Amino acid sequence: MPDSLARDTGWAPPLSAGPIKPADMSENGVLLRLLDMAQCIERSDEDGAFVAFVDLLDRIQPCGTDLRTKTQCFAQALLKNIDWKTGHGSLHGALFESHADRFPPMKLAAGAAGTILGGLLERCDDAVLVDIGIGHGGRIAGLFRSLAGRGALPRALTVVGIDPCDGALAEAEATLSSLASGLGLPFRFLAMPSRVESLTAAQWDGFRSIGGRIFVNAVFSLHHVGGHGAKDAVLRNVKSLKPEALVIAEPSADFETDDLLRRLAHAWRFYGACFGILDRMDVSQEERTMARMFFGQEIMDVLGTPADRRGERFDTASRWLARLRDAGFQAHPDLRRASAGQPGGILGATLHDDHVGFDFAGQVMSAAICVR
């Protein structure tokens, strides 16, 4: 597939892949077969899709392990359009917890977001941190320790934790309250058990009434918001808080489209790069297997789940920036100071006025964004 495929809005798949011999099965050959499957699904030809699936698995047997593994992930994900009874839930959550701190696109973007946020919060008077998708509070705990280590804790901090899981919020409150007490940080925690897109106007008003300087943090959480302008509505609500800064970490790919063939093309390019990064990592076989399972779960969600049930609704970094501009945000002037010295490694790092982008083989994989 040409590198420009996912960026070419005029691209259309071939009507038929044509005969492909097993010896000829390159990545492009596999993609053509997957596109045949996707077209069968689009026209509700379930038998045709299944026949294409079985034929593809047969044809990839002579191929290398990596191409076979990737092909199986994508083919099984497409079949989920026909049978999607198993969900995108607890297994993926567990894999994320084990994977996020090691895989470079996630690790670097989250690390950059933490560095930026820490630089903005240091020695801040009466700060209010609204954390969207706080989970168990591990990232904020790490932020506390980093600020304390350089004697730069805020003078007082309120954390508003937004998360749909009551148990995670309770754990976050206990962890952060105990840590703040040990560090001598005046602290309070306000739990908001809800998805961010489900918050009411009264709840948003309540954030404004807390007082103090508001900062908003969202690390790998906003891409779960999707459908009918929900992301844009959330960003407008965040902007209504008049925050000192909004810090976001997100992967960069276009999975928000409802066009299955186009979503397949973007997923093939993005996750193909993920497999390429994994090949260059010095990790154990167990970690490699866990990573492949993680990718497989995401691919299954992206390609095989009905639109109203998809969890992985990535946007490109450029599209996030456009959404933020439309909501009234602009680049934060302190971004360059707060994010100085971002690491590279397997991925390249590029600092812009409003974000830090991390790329692999010329493709942006993730970004940390800071606006106000």
Side-chain angles (χ1 to χ4, degrees):
M1 179 175 64
D3 287 344
S4 61
L5 173 60
R7 299 190 295 271
D8 183 3
T9 57
W11 176 82
L15 294 177
S16 173
I20 301 175
K21 298 177 183 179
D24 297 330
M25 288 300 286
S26 63
E27 289 209 354
N28 283 343
V30 169
L31 176 56
L32 289 173
R33 287 292 173 184
L34 289 171
L35 289 167
D36 270 351
M37 279 186 64
Q39 287 175 320
C40 288
I41 292 166
E42 289 279 76
R43 60 177 180 263
S44 300
D45 180 8
E46 296 183 4
D47 289 341
F50 188 74
V51 168
F53 171 76
V54 173
D55 179 65
L56 177 57
L57 294 190
D58 182 61
R59 288 173 180 272
I60 62 171
Q61 291 311 305
C63 299
T65 302
D66 287 345
L67 182 57
R68 287 203 312 273
T69 300
K70 185 163 68 170
T71 301
Q72 288 164 359
C73 285
F74 274 81
Q76 290 169 357
L78 284 172
L79 278 190
K80 292 289 284 184
N81 285 278
I82 298 170
D83 181 9
W84 46 271
K85 291 173 185 172
T86 57
H88 179 69
S90 58
L91 174 59
H92 185 263
L95 290 171
F96 179 86
E97 292 293 334
S98 67
H99 186 60
D101 291 334
R102 289 193 286 276
F103 191 59
M106 301 164 73
K107 177 181 178 181
L108 290 174
T115 299
I116 294 165
L117 185 61
L120 297 170
L121 283 175
E122 59 183 36
R123 302 182 184 87
C124 182
D125 289 322
D126 198 17
V128 177
L129 176 58
V130 178
D131 194 285
I132 300 172
I134 192 171
H136 300 282
R139 293 194 188 281
I140 302 302
L143 178 66
F144 280 16
R145 296 187 184 99
S146 175
L147 287 167
R150 59 179 191 269
L153 281 167
R155 293 177 176 84
L157 178 64
T158 297
V159 170
V160 180
I162 302 173
D163 199 282
C165 179
D166 288 306
L169 286 171
E171 185 175 339
E173 180 172 10
T175 297
L176 297 177
S177 297
S178 174
L179 182 56
S181 176
L183 295 172
L185 170 65
F187 175 77
R188 61 174 171 161
F189 186 92
L190 303 177
M192 190 61 62
S194 173
R195 295 177 62 88
V196 67
E197 65 270 33
S198 300
L199 292 173
T200 66
Q203 288 171 318
W204 286 106
D205 287 340
F207 298 155
R208 285 187 284 272
S209 68
I210 294 171
R213 301 171 63 189
I214 296 177
F215 299 81
V216 182
N217 186 52
V219 175
F220 300 124
S221 57
L222 290 180
H223 68 264
H224 294 300
V225 178
H228 306 296
K231 285 190 178 103
D232 297 320
V234 167
L235 294 178
R236 287 193 298 270
N237 280 323
V238 171
K239 181 60 178 174
S240 75
L241 302 179
K242 299 181 179 179
E244 301 276 331
L246 165 62
V247 180
I248 296 173
E250 282 291 336
S252 180
D254 183 8
F255 299 158
E256 190 67 287
T257 175
D258 288 331
D259 183 332
L260 177 61
L261 273 65
R262 185 163 183 77
R263 203 161 67 247
L264 167 59
H266 281 273
W268 180 262
R269 190 165 186 265
F270 179 80
Y271 287 108
C274 287
F275 281 108
I277 293 167
L278 184 62
D279 287 342
R280 288 161 175 76
M281 293 175 64
D282 182 16
V283 295
S284 68
Q285 188 56 47
E286 180 181 0
E287 289 176 302
R288 199 174 299 277
T289 299
M290 291 282 284
R292 285 172 172 161
M293 288 176 64
F294 177 82
F295 296 143
Q297 286 281 310
E298 289 208 337
I299 293 166
M300 199 79 75
D301 180 79
V302 170
L303 297 180
T305 305
D308 62 344
R309 295 173 180 262
R310 286 206 307 272
E312 306 304 328
R313 308 186 69 107
F314 296 1
D315 273 308
T316 61
S318 60
R319 183 62 187 128
W320 276 115
L321 293 168
R323 289 185 187 278
L324 288 162
R325 286 193 297 271
D326 289 345
F329 288 96
Q330 57 185 338
H332 197 292
D334 288 345
L335 171 63
R336 289 182 174 272
R337 175 189 64 81
S339 62
Q342 290 304 318
I346 296 175
L347 272 65
T350 306
L351 180 60
H352 302 269
D353 288 340
D354 47 14
H355 73 287
V356 185
F358 299 96
D359 67 272
F360 175 75
Q363 177 179 346
V364 178
M365 299 297 296
S366 60
I369 300 170
C370 183
V371 291
R372 65 174 185 180

